Amino acid sequence: MINTKKYLFILIGFLTAILYLHPASVLAEEAQKITVSYRYVDEDTGEVFKEQKRSTDKQAGESYEATPAEEWEYASSNNGLVEGKIKGEQGKTYMLDFEYPNNILKIECLSESSEENVIQIYYKAYHLMGYYTTYATVTYIDEDTDEIIEKKEMEVQCHSHFSYDIPFLVEDSRGVSYRYDSKNSKNEEIVSCTKENAFRNQIKLYYKKGKLGENEAVVSVYNEFLNENYYRKIFIEGLTVGADFYINYDSESIPSNNSSAYYYVWDLETEVVYIESLSRNLAENIIRMSNVKFPPGSEATEEVVKIEFIDADTGKAFRTARKRLDPGNQINYTAPNKLTADNGNVYYFDRDNKNNHLSIKVSKIEKGSDVYKTGNVIKAYYFTKKNPGDPAAVRVSYMDSATGKLVRQEDKDGLIVGESYLHQPEESFKIGDVTYTYDQENAKNKLQIENLSGHPGKDEIVIYYKASVSDSNLGQNQNLSKIKKLAAPKKLQAVRTGTTKAKITFRKVKKADGYQISYADNKKFRKAKKRSTGKTSVVLKKLKKNRKYYVRVRAYQKVNGAKKYGTYSKVKVIAKR
């Protein structure tokens, strides 16, 4: 019984101690709560327009840091986030200035006194016009001192691209000149998606001291993204006033934020890629290159079109370029009037050159083929200007009066630029069994050039001749043009007999001595292969696998060794196999 009472007293004492100690533990826990004051300051007036008290579980002596919210709507007073946008008195909207130097977002050592635990954040008041508008800031910075040369604020739409038209030259308040350093890696030239908080919309442009040289020219190139409604702007330096400038498609790239995920195609209808004569006025040296962006997984249906800029004298291309366009589209290319080659030669567009081929319809390129075989080639011919007294040459072209075809061509050297030249035509000449006699009554004859330019492709003498051949059945020196043309072969058939063979059959043509079969892998029969035969059934060999061919046939007569060809048959397709 005594032991029972003893244990009862011990239990009561233990319970009393628990009841006594519990309020103390609660007080101790409450004592660990630290209060932090959030003061919101108007950076223009220095006034505190709002203040909040927040409690934290951190103990005195520990550090405390407030984190700016990426988006103001996600901020919470319970997790230490700082709103990006808040409302003040009189309906003002304040935006958090992320880079303001007096911001205090971290307390290194918390105090038990709440008056010492102060987070002080600077905001700027903006009068926003509506829910969808905000502000963007453009800052010009001296890259050597990091001093601000100039700062501009402008109203923009939320959640859109913001492109600023970067000036190449600026001056500070003291009149010191600066030029834009496009190679500075710290440049922030666009805002790809404008935030509601204006201080997220920062464009920073770095400049170095310096003026434009006396004879220096700079080209501004705009890469316009049509389906995104913004552009990137770059500057090309190291150019000379009066020189010409051309962007080479093979070397120039399109700046993009995420080139690995998207690809871009030139818009041929709007682009301008050359300047004939650069000006000292930078506002005149502008090139605009428009392009369309395609997302990942898009099927690329466009084909390569090659542009060749060809020296009219040598026939060699001194520059090439590439474009892309959907098959079936027509390209009407505007060739630059003046170009400078890599070796420094200055070329001028030869408008009169009959070999210019500036308009094409883009064709589909079959697998394993190339632009030459499909005809996707723009050809622009150029010549170099020569001065009076320089050596000159004239190109003499001999034409068949009946057919209008070129039968002979040669260059006459040893002449002088600026002088006139009168060519004395040969009375006749012979090619094989065909005799060509000067057609002095032909009005198309051009025998004199008043002022030689020195370029055979431009200085051309054209002379027309009548072709004739002797034959006992036709009479002496009868003109070939009077021989009646043979009819076109009928019932042409073309059937694949193997992966590399095809059988060609057609009906016989009266008075024909033989037939010429022409076949190619393009409808225009460029670089077509030709085969002569006396039969009306022929097997073509060595055709390429999985390639479509086109074939046509014409008959011919032999007249004193010369062939007089008839009309071509209808074109037939040799199917793939």
Side-chain angles (χ1 to χ4, degrees):
M1 189 68 178
I2 295 175
N3 288 339
T4 302
K5 289 182 179 180
K6 180 180 179 181
Y7 287 122
L8 182 59
F9 280 118
I10 293 173
L11 178 60
I12 292 171
F14 179 72
L15 293 173
T16 303
I18 291 175
L19 292 172
Y20 177 80
L21 291 174
H22 180 67
S25 65
V26 171
L27 291 174
E29 184 179 340
E30 291 177 352
Q32 290 177 0
K33 289 281 186 181
I34 299 294
T35 301
V36 177
S37 295
Y38 281 68
R39 292 178 187 168
Y40 301 93
V41 185
D42 186 321
E43 68 177 45
D44 294 321
T45 65
E47 296 178 358
V48 177
F49 62 86
K50 185 177 181 180
E51 186 168 2
Q52 289 179 331
K53 301 244 184 229
R54 300 185 185 178
S55 61
T56 176
D57 292 333
K58 288 184 176 291
Q59 296 181 358
E62 293 185 4
S63 64
Y64 177 85
E65 185 173 3
T67 305
E70 178 65 23
E71 299 290 349
W72 70 270
E73 59 263 30
Y74 298 125
S76 169
S77 60
N78 298 324
N79 56 15
L81 290 179
V82 178
E83 295 92 333
K85 185 184 84 168
I86 60 176
K87 290 285 186 180
E89 295 179 356
Q90 298 177 345
K92 284 186 178 180
T93 300
Y94 286 90
M95 297 288 187
L96 170 59
D97 190 345
F98 292 91
E99 298 183 356
Y100 199 84
N102 294 333
N103 277 334
I104 299 175
L105 298 178
K106 187 175 182 179
I107 301 172
E108 296 293 344
C109 186
L110 285 170
S111 170
E112 292 182 359
S113 171
S114 61
E115 295 302 319
E116 297 179 15
N117 299 331
V118 178
I119 295 292
Q120 186 161 292
I121 318 148
Y122 284 80
Y123 284 74
K124 186 176 179 65
Y126 282 106
H127 299 281
L128 302 180
M129 300 298 293
Y131 179 76
Y132 293 106
T133 57
T134 182
Y135 282 81
T137 304
V138 181
T139 309
Y140 307 153
I141 304 170
D142 184 328
E143 65 180 34
D144 295 321
T145 64
D146 283 335
E147 293 180 0
I148 294 176
I149 302 169
E150 187 179 352
K151 181 179 282 190
K152 296 182 177 181
E153 291 179 349
M154 54 200 69
E155 191 173 298
V156 296
Q157 279 195 324
C158 288
H159 311 300
S160 64
H161 284 287
F162 172 58
S163 298
Y164 178 72
D165 199 3
I166 305 166
F168 183 74
L169 296 172
V170 297
E171 285 188 357
D172 65 9
S173 57
R174 300 164 295 176
V176 178
S177 296
Y178 290 83
R179 52 194 295 159
Y180 184 58
D181 187 358
S182 56
K183 296 181 180 179
N184 193 311
S185 59
K186 294 188 292 184
N187 285 322
E188 296 175 20
E189 297 181 353
I190 67 168
V191 178
S192 58
C193 183
T194 51
K195 306 292 185 183
E196 191 171 4
N197 187 329
F199 288 97
R200 295 287 188 188
N201 307 325
Q202 297 283 337
I203 287 182
K204 296 180 180 180
L205 309 173
Y206 286 83
Y207 286 77
K208 54 188 175 183
K209 289 181 181 177
K211 297 182 178 181
L212 199 62
E214 183 177 350
N215 202 34
E216 181 184 1
V218 177
V219 173
S220 303
V221 181
Y222 290 82
N223 287 315
E224 299 173 325
F225 297 78
L226 297 182
N227 55 350
E228 296 190 340
N229 197 30
Y230 80 105
Y231 59 84
R232 297 292 300 274
K233 183 179 180 182
I234 59 175
F235 297 103
I236 310 294
E237 301 182 57
L239 306 174
T240 305
V241 172
D244 65 295
F245 180 79
Y246 181 83
I247 285 186
N248 192 333
Y249 286 89
D250 290 338
S251 61
E252 291 294 331
S253 60
I254 309 173
S256 60
N257 289 335
N258 191 358
S259 58
S260 61
Y262 294 86
Y263 67 92
Y264 297 84
V265 177
W266 300 111
D267 181 359
L268 306 182
E269 300 299 323
T270 59
E271 66 186 15
V272 176
V273 295
Y274 65 89
I275 299 174
E276 186 172 346
S277 181
L278 294 174
S279 170
R280 180 174 169 78
N281 182 357
L282 302 188
E284 298 178 8
N285 299 337
I286 294 175
I287 283 180
R288 297 188 180 277
M289 303 174 68
S290 301
N291 45 79
V292 180
K293 181 178 178 181
F294 289 87
S298 296
E299 184 179 356
T301 58
E302 71 281 355
E303 297 294 348
V304 172
V305 174
K306 188 167 185 178
I307 302 172
E308 293 183 336
F309 303 98
I310 303 171
D311 187 319
D313 295 333
T314 65
K316 295 181 179 179
F318 61 88
R319 176 178 291 167
T320 60
R322 292 175 301 183
K323 296 178 182 287
R324 287 186 175 271
L325 199 66
D326 286 340
N329 282 15
Q330 187 78 22
I331 300 179
N332 298 309
Y333 183 70
T334 304
N337 292 325
K338 185 178 74 169
L339 288 176
T340 302
D342 293 339
N343 60 6
N345 288 345
V346 178
Y347 287 91
Y348 295 85
F349 180 53
D350 190 353
R351 298 181 184 278
D352 301 323
N353 196 304
K354 59 188 177 184
N355 295 317
N356 281 323
H357 191 48
L358 303 180
S359 180
I360 66 169
K361 189 173 183 180
V362 180
S363 56
K364 177 69 177 175
I365 300 175
E366 295 181 9
K367 189 174 181 180
S369 183
D370 57 35
V371 291
Y372 295 102
K373 294 180 180 178
T374 56
N376 288 353
V377 182
I378 294 286
K379 292 187 176 183
Y381 283 80
Y382 286 75
F383 64 90
T384 55
K385 284 187 177 178
K386 293 185 178 181
N387 299 315
D390 289 346
V394 169
R395 183 158 294 163
V396 184
S397 298
Y398 302 86
M399 315 296 290
D400 188 316
S401 290
T403 65
K405 293 182 178 179
L406 178 70
V407 295
R408 189 174 115 190
Q409 196 172 64
E410 60 188 6
D411 288 344
K412 177 75 174 178
D413 297 319
L415 306 174
I416 304 298
V417 171
E419 295 184 357
S420 64
Y421 175 71
L422 175 63
H423 187 72
Q424 299 296 334
E426 299 177 64
E427 185 177 341
S428 64
F429 61 90
K430 196 171 184 180
I431 299 178
D433 293 329
V434 181
T435 300
Y436 291 90
T437 306
Y438 173 50
D439 185 0
Q440 57 185 343
E441 296 177 357
N442 196 314
K444 294 181 180 179
N445 284 325
K446 180 183 177 182
L447 302 180
Q448 186 169 4
I449 297 174
E450 296 295 338
N451 188 4
L452 293 174
S453 69
H455 301 279
K458 203 164 182 64
D459 295 338
E460 185 180 23
I461 296 290
V462 181
I463 316 171
Y464 285 84
Y465 284 78
K466 294 178 181 180
S468 60
V469 58
S470 59
D471 188 288
S472 57
N473 296 324
L474 298 173
Q476 293 295 319
N477 298 322
Q478 184 177 358
N479 196 306
L480 279 174
S481 63
K482 294 181 180 180
I483 302 174
K484 189 175 180 180
K485 231 179 184 182
L486 294 176
K490 296 181 179 180
K491 299 293 184 179
L492 174 63
Q493 300 293 326
V495 180
R496 281 266 190 179
T497 57
T499 54
T500 61
K501 296 180 182 180
K503 187 176 182 180
I504 310 300
T505 59
F506 49 90
R507 282 191 177 179
K508 187 177 181 180
V509 177
K510 290 182 180 180
K511 297 184 180 180
D513 294 318
Y515 306 91
Q516 184 189 67
I517 300 171
S518 177
Y519 61 100
D521 60 0
N522 61 86
K523 290 181 180 180
K524 293 186 178 181
F525 286 86
R526 289 192 180 92
K527 295 189 176 181
K529 292 184 179 181
K530 296 177 181 179
R531 177 176 172 179
S532 296
T533 180
K535 300 178 181 180
T536 57
S537 178
V538 177
V539 175
L540 301 181
K541 300 179 180 180
K542 296 183 179 180
L543 302 179
K544 293 186 178 180
K545 298 178 182 179
N546 296 320
R547 184 170 296 182
K548 184 191 296 183
Y549 283 85
Y550 302 86
V551 63
R552 61 187 179 182
V553 183
R554 61 180 176 175
Y556 64 81
Q557 282 180 296
K558 288 184 179 179
V559 184
N560 249 14
K563 291 180 179 179
K564 174 72 175 180
Y565 287 99
T567 305
Y568 271 116
S569 68
K570 292 182 179 180
V571 176
K572 287 291 182 179
V573 176
I574 303 174
K576 298 179 182 179
R577 188 166 174 181

